[in-house]
Amino acid sequence: RKLQAEKRLNALSAAPIVNIPFVPDHKLTEIANLISIPKKTVFVQQIRSFWALKRQSRSGMPLLRRLHASHQIRKSGLETETVAGLKEQLVYWQRLRHDLERSRMLIELIRKREKLKREDLRMQQLMTDLQLQPLTVLLRRTLEQLTLKDKEGYFAEPVPVEEVPDYLDIISQPMDFSTMRRKLDHHEYTSVVAFSADFQLIYRNCMTYNGKET
């Protein structure tokens, strides 16, 4: 304990003592003689008192240390402002992301709503067609099924005469699925028999021109 007390005492005695500087009277007089202003003595005394109080309030801290301390304060202030600016930017981007997410969800809801509206409109049109022209709806679905069977699309369009010049010489009444679809759109089929006759015509034309051996 005695050794520790001596070390503390030596540390206190070795600590630097900072004295508050002051301007001697003769120096102050020399400085005052260099200026010419009214009530110079009172002005100089006021400056001396202000300087002394200022130095005492700062505990005699030398000018270099004060400048260093003020630099640290300014640096700390800049760092604080930088952190505050980054926080503001973070809040801004978070809000922007939240707004964009809400916009995306709103667009998705609108897209789903429009899809449901289109589906509802299609169903309404189908119901109307079933009520007004049930035969056309039935024949249209039948034609779609027949078209799916023709995977290569041989009977989808009329036979190109420029590629088969003698086709019309052999076939007097050409028929294909696109012609049947056009007749359906113009409501030319008044019965299932007429629709079946055109389909049979496609088959007979094919067998007539190509022959049974092909």
Side-chain angles (χ1 to χ4, degrees), residues 36-183:
S36 176
I37 58 174
K39 298 181 180 181
K40 179 172 58 178
T41 305
V42 178
F43 177 71
V44 171
Q45 291 297 330
Q46 288 178 351
I47 291 179
R48 183 178 183 181
S49 300
F50 172 75
W51 178 256
L53 291 173
K54 187 175 182 181
R55 298 294 293 181
Q56 289 176 3
S57 65
R58 295 178 178 175
S59 302
M61 184 184 296
L63 179 60
L64 183 62
R65 290 180 59 189
R66 291 207 313 273
L67 292 175
H68 180 70
S70 62
H71 174 70
Q72 293 293 336
I73 292 173
R74 287 197 300 270
K75 183 177 179 181
S76 177
L78 290 175
E79 290 178 354
T80 303
E81 291 178 359
T82 304
V83 172
L86 291 175
K87 288 182 178 179
E88 290 180 359
Q89 291 184 8
L90 179 61
V91 171
Y92 168 77
W93 289 113
Q94 287 177 345
R95 290 179 179 174
L96 181 60
R97 179 182 177 184
H98 178 69
D99 293 341
L100 290 175
E101 185 65 22
R102 291 182 59 186
S103 300
R104 187 191 66 80
M105 294 177 63
L106 181 60
I107 292 174
E108 185 67 20
L109 290 175
I110 293 174
R111 188 186 66 82
K112 291 181 179 179
R113 184 190 66 183
E114 294 301 319
K115 183 178 179 180
L116 291 175
K117 287 172 64 177
R118 289 195 300 270
E119 184 66 20
D120 184 60
L121 181 62
R122 190 184 68 84
M123 293 301 297
Q124 290 182 5
Q125 183 177 1
L126 180 60
M127 293 299 296
T128 303
D129 291 340
L130 285 173
Q131 292 177 359
L132 298 178
Q133 44 188 2
L135 178 63
T136 303
V137 175
L138 175 63
L139 296 180
R140 194 181 302 278
R141 288 187 176 182
T142 305
L143 181 61
E144 290 176 357
Q145 295 296 322
L146 294 174
T147 304
L148 292 176
K149 297 295 183 179
D150 183 22
K151 295 181 180 180
E152 301 297 332
Y154 293 131
F155 310 111
E157 299 293 336
V159 175
V161 180
E162 59 275 8
E163 296 181 7
V164 189
D166 62 340
Y167 185 77
L168 295 180
D169 296 337
I170 301 173
I171 304 301
S172 60
Q173 190 178 358
M175 183 56 61
D176 58 90
F177 289 147
S178 64
T179 303
M180 294 179 65
R181 187 176 295 105
R182 179 183 56 79
K183 293 177 71 174

Side-chain angles (χ1 to χ4, degrees), residues 19-35:
N19 294 321
I20 301 175
F22 67 97
V23 181
D25 293 338
H26 67 279
K27 289 290 184 180
L28 188 61
T29 302
E30 292 178 3
I31 296 171
N33 291 331
L34 298 175
I35 61 176

